[in-house]
Amino acid sequence: MTALYLHIPFCRQKCFYCDFNSSSNLEKKKSYLEALKKEASLYKNQMEDVKISSIYLGGGTPSVLGQEDLEDLFLHIKETFDLGEVQEWTMEVNPESGKDLDFASLKNLGLSRVSMGIQTFHPESLASLGRIHSREDVYTSLKKIRQGGIKNINGDFMFSFPGQTLGNLEEDLKEIGTLGLSHISYYSFIPEEGTFLGDQVLEGTRGAMDESLDRKMEHRIEDQLKVLGYRQYELSNFTKGKPCIHNLAYWRIKNYLGLGLSAHSSLGDYRFFNTGDMEVYLEKLGKSQLPIEEREKISKKDRVLEYIIMGLRLNEGLNVSKIEDRFSLDFEGIFQGALEKNLEAKTLNYQDGAYVLTAYGRDVANQVELDFYRTEFDLS
Ligand code: SF4
C-alpha cells in the first residue's frame, strides 16, 4: 500500500509566515496541471501492482484551482492509479476559495475529507498573518462542504504567533467548540527564515512568543480540546473519530509517493524529492522525464531512527514488539541508555508494551529525540 500526495503550488496570496513552495502567480496553472498529470502517468507502470491507501492534495491551496481543473485532476488520478482500496481522499481548502466549489461533485469523484486552513478567528491576527479570509468565509465554506456530503473535516489552527494573547486563544477555542469539526490540527508558529514574519522575529523587530506562554497555550489547547471531546493522537493532532490515515502513513514510515513541485517520496529503501523550480519541473515533464532532484538509499539505521522519532510523536508511542518485529533488532537493549534516562526524568512512560511521551515529555520532545539520535549502534 502506498499513500499518494499531490502538491498544488498556488495560493491567492502568500501568507506572511509561509515557507511552503507556493506562489500567488497563477499564470503557470494550466501548464503545471498538465505536467502534474504527466508525472502521474509516468508512474503508471511502476505503480501497476500497488494499491493506493490514501490520497492527499496539499499545497499551496488546491481549492484555488477551481471546479473544472480539480475535477479534471481527480479523473486523471482515478484513471492512473489503483484506487480500489483507498481509505481516505483529502483535499486542503482555504475558506476564501472553498466557498466557490461544488463538493458533492468532488465527493462523487472520490473526495472524502477536507482540511481547512483556518488558523485563527481573530480579525487583526488574520491580517497580521497575511491571511485573506474572513471569519464569515469559514462558515460559508463549511456549509458548502457539508452540503456536499463531506463530514470528515479538519480545521488547521495556529497558536503562539507574534501578537497572539492568551485571551485571543481562549476566544478561538470557544469558537472551535461551535464548529463541529471531526478533526483539529493545532500547530505552533515557527519563524521560518526568508518569510516576511519569520525574518521580523529572527531579526528582533517583532517580538517572539515567550516560551512559558507558548507552553501555557499548548496545555490550554490540549485541555480544552479534551473537554470538547477530541482525542489527542499525535503531538499536534486531535480527533473525534478517525485519525488522518494519510498522515499516519508518514508517522508510521509507510511508503508514500509525492507528485508535484518539491514533493517528497519514500518507497522501499529509497527516499527522493522533486525539483522546487517551476521552470525545471515543466521542462523535465515536457520531455517526459521525472523531475526528481535527489534520490538516496536509506540505511536500516536511519530508518530505525526515523521510526523512533515519528513514533514518539504519536500518543500510542513506541510499541516494543512492533519495532522489534519490523526491524529485527533488540530495541530495549540498543536504546537502554536513552530509555532509562527518560523514564527516570519522567519524560517517558512505559505502558501496555510501549514507551510513550508523558505530558512533560511532550514539552521537551526534541530533547528526548536527541537521546535516541545520540545512541551509537550499528545494524549493517
Ligand atoms: S495559504 Fe497555506 S500554503 Fe498558501 S501561502 Fe498561506 S500558509 Fe502558505
Side-chain angles (χ1 to χ4, degrees), residues 11 13-15 17-18 20 22 59-61 94 131:
C11 296
Q13 177 179 292
K14 191 79 184 167
C15 299
Y17 56 88
C18 176
F20 293 136
S22 69
T61 309
N94 266 345
R131 303 288 301 185

Side-chain angles (χ1 to χ4, degrees), residues 2 17 97 122 168 195 226 230 246 250 270 281 287-288 294 328-330 342 345 349 380:
T2 296
Y17 56 88
S97 45
H122 193 244
N168 298 152
T195 65
K226 193 173 180 185
Y230 292 94
H246 189 82
Y250 298 142
Y270 288 88
Y281 183 80
K287 294 186 209 155
S288 295
E294 211 172 296
S328 310
L329 50 72
D330 173 12
N342 284 286
N349 258 343
S380 55

